[in-house]
Amino acid sequence: MKAASASGVGRVFELLGVGRIVFGSGSLARLGPMAAEMGSAALVVTNATPAGAGGATDALTEALVESGVNCALFVQPGEPTVDDVDAALETARQGKCDMVVGLGGGSAIDCAKAVAALMTNGGAALVYMEVIGKGLKVRRQAAPWIAVPTTAGTGAEVTKNAVIACPERNFKASIRGEQLLARAAVVDPTLGLTVPPGVTACSGMDALCQ
């Protein structure tokens, strides 16, 4: 990075990041107590192993419940759309959720991120979309949320934007702002062991390309 010139004009570097990252095998066990410090009811947005299959979703919800955090579950099967985000937000409202946990790949985490922002800023997803929406700024801090990635491709757990699709307009755009950053990211490599090999391979290529 070049030093600033005598006139005071130079390159400026700014780094925004998640304040707390817990990394390591078995780190999912830390999730429950962390979540309990942030709220009493969590919307869990997941595209990991389906509930009832004894996989990551069950392990995560059990960890939350054991720490006294109630759960409402929203399954995000693919890239989130504006309708998905609005539906997840309604699930959070019905469950009286005061925090969000995103479990899975970038799709689930982006949906969780967007919902956390809408929980405190109000309105629907399209209102905050760039290009195709009104592009309103996210001004209030998002509701507390924790990212729990199961893939290593997108890095969505540490970014300030949520990529959302609008199929009706054949377009993808972002809801963005530093207010969207997660309160914490729990990165447990063992969660990737149950991810299909094809997904893991594609995630690796995603990381390489980005």
Side-chain angles (χ1 to χ4, degrees):
M1 184 174 67
K2 292 182 179 180
S5 65
S7 64
V9 179
R11 295 184 180 181
V12 177
F13 180 87
E14 183 177 2
L15 177 64
L16 295 173
V18 174
R20 184 177 184 183
I21 298 176
V22 181
F23 181 92
S25 297
S27 57
L28 184 64
R30 303 273 295 275
L31 175 70
M34 289 172 57
E37 294 176 359
M38 301 180 191
S40 59
L43 173 71
V44 177
V45 181
T46 179
N47 60 8
T49 313
T57 301
D58 289 339
L60 184 143
T61 54
E62 288 170 6
L64 291 172
V65 172
E66 286 176 0
S67 294
V69 179
N70 295 325
C71 298
L73 191 67
F74 183 84
V75 177
Q76 179 58 56
E79 289 191 340
T81 67
V82 290
D83 289 342
D84 291 334
V85 173
D86 291 343
L89 178 62
E90 181 59 28
T91 299
R93 287 171 175 162
Q94 291 181 0
K96 298 182 179 179
C97 299
D98 51 13
M99 65 170 297
V100 184
V101 177
L103 170 68
S107 298
I109 292 175
D110 275 356
C111 181
K113 192 182 306 184
V115 171
L118 295 180
M119 284 171 65
T120 55
N121 285 270
L126 192 60
V127 173
Y128 298 91
M129 297 279 282
E130 301 171 342
V131 183
I132 59 172
K134 293 184 179 180
L136 293 186
K137 300 295 184 183
V138 176
R139 303 200 179 277
R140 296 189 181 94
Q141 186 66 41
W145 75 280
I146 301 173
V148 186
T150 59
T151 64
T154 67
E157 66 274 11
V158 293
T159 60
K160 64 176 184 177
N161 61 296
V163 181
I164 311 298
C166 184
E168 293 79 9
R169 303 191 189 184
N170 196 29
F171 201 87
K172 288 198 299 185
S174 291
I175 299 173
R176 70 175 71 243
E178 58 187 85
Q179 298 86 350
L180 273 69
L181 286 167
R183 296 286 181 90
V186 177
V187 186
D188 187 337
T190 63
L191 296 179
L193 297 178
T194 57
V195 175
V199 174
T200 298
C202 288
S203 296
M205 291 303 296
D206 192 3
L208 179 63
C209 291
Q210 295 195 60

